[in-house]
Amino acid sequence: MSNLLLKKKLYLVGMGLIGVIYLPAQQTDTTTVRSLTQVEVVEKARISGTRQGAPMQLMDRSDMERLGIQDLSEAVKRFSGVTVKDYGGIGGLKTVSVRSLGAQHTAVSYDGVTISDAQNGQVDISRFSLDNVESVSLSIGQIDDIFQTARMYASAGALNIKTSAPLFKDRSFKWQAQLKTGSFGLINPYIRYDRKLSSTWSVSLHGDYLRADGNYPFTLVNGTEKDRLKRKNSDIESGRTEINLYGKAGKTATLAIKAYYFDSERGLPGSVILYNDYAAERLWDKNAFAQVHYKNQYNEKFAFQAQLKYNYAWNRYLDINNKYESGRQDDRYTQNEYYGSASGLYRLNKEFSFSLTEDFFVNTLDNTLPECPYPTRYSSLTVLATQYKNKRLTATASLLGTWMSEKVDRGDRPADRKRLSPAISASWRIFPAQNLRIRAAFKDIFRVPTFNDLYYLRMGNTNLKPERTRQYNIGLTWNGQLADILPSTSISVDGYYNQVHDKIVAMPTLFIWKMMNMGEVSIKGLDANLSTQISLYKEIAMHLQGSYTFQKAIDITDKNAKNYRHQIPYTSKHSGTASASVVNPWLNISYHLSIVGDRYALPQNTQDNLIKQYVEQGISLNREFAWSNCRLRLQGEIINLGNINYDVIKFYPMPGRSWRLSIGFYY
């Protein structure tokens, strides 16, 4: 895909936005709050991303079903400004980076509580299923919600996964069964049962099992020669179960209790190397956590919430270097986290509100590596936030105070860390009668070195400083009705500039590699999003969505280095997505297109390090049948319709054309 075509797409989005600015139509802000009395809530409210002071993109259950999305990474790839590193196949590791800041700067939260990994700072989102998810949202910077955990303030971006709570209408139970199957031996059954225990308490249980051999074909190109090979050691087998208890703990208080368990074994296929297809790396993961969320809306002015969580994570990495097992590495890691959060929200009047939040958590790590220091990290996060909000203006400011201390059983430990991190954002509705808004945001944040950065064998460096980032964003948003045939349209365009200081990198020394604060990165970019609905005829409608991202993320560490002002690894300058879906009473059809420009696997932008651009297409068909209290949903899809041979990570080829079928029964 040429750069000219990508620029034309951006030009069309910009022209559409200019047209919106001069719309004469009188619009009402769809996010205006109106007071209602004695209302029974049977549907969930949708957050307006166009009103937020900082960029936020959201996809709810209806969007996912309409677009035929059945995997979390597929949903995240539809957002602008996101890079999903995918190591290939159904069981491949998948991590999320926002605006080229790195996966360690992206928090992943599950029902409001951040998923942690103090060992390497990255969360593998392939662990999570979409089957029980109500919505997925991506926020960049600090969103307008000031009543949340302090940990949600402590990252450059956040991927928020919200699971679906049971809603009962005319009976006291519901259940759901679903089966997915597809290419490369995929089998994925899922079952869920919801029960109303009393007028104030309910329970939800669900679980799924997934297996696939993952041995997909790919083409290896070596000069003018092409070999048709099969991926090896790409199998996966995993199980996941979750139980949720919801209820009231008094007249104005609610309580939610969650227990989660995940267990998997997978093969790591390794990089594709000429004349050597041997791969024997294995990875086992076990993760269990329990969390409790308490919330009390005492009156119109004051609310309080608290959360407790215990998280256990265990993994084993096995690498047999050759077929004769003369070289063998067998490492095991165990992490524990003890977490607590308390937050109070006070509304001074209709416009002003304040919040104070305190999080405290303890992380431990032990492993089987030689000279393991068995570190324990104590962390305290305190946030004071305020917000002013009326019909036209929303302004939010926060100050995060961080204190961290560590102790080790052997060796050196890093010094205690103390830091204040401010953030501010504002969204202003320019014209009283139209939904055109301008927004601006600034956030100063950092990420502490992980346990691996500090202690991993001889590479670790306990003198590392936190990796600091500054984020600047300015944008325009609009949503409303263009015409009777276009009842709902949403547009946003954001320009941004990020700076990364004291970037943690691995540098070679005389004999071994060492972790050091050596990096400086400058990131300039633009994100554009467009979605619209077209009413074609009676119950027939077309939904169009598109996103475009431009990123110039360059290394400015050393003017004398060969990679000075080169694009940082795995960041394309141009990328975008487009989708079109037709909803009708007979057969819903969805088409999706993803475009990713050229990238480089290493810091030097040379031809040898080039990862070529690619275009991936997919099509999905679904139909739902309903009778009495039952629903039957059928879906079929073709992934990578053009059978394109491409890499997301260099030497880790992605699958070509594949298919997937699912059948779901709801009662």
Side-chain angles (χ1 to χ4, degrees), residues 13 18 124 210 289 297 364 374 390 419 449 505 510 540 564 636:
V13 172
I18 293 172
D124 176 17
L210 183 146
F289 65 79
Q297 184 73 51
T364 67
Y374 301 101
N390 61 26
R419 184 176 173 86
V505 295
L510 186 60
I540 305 175
Y564 180 66

Side-chain angles (χ1 to χ4, degrees), residues 458 508-513:
R458 297 183 181 180
T509 59
L510 186 60
F511 296 108
I512 59 174
W513 288 67

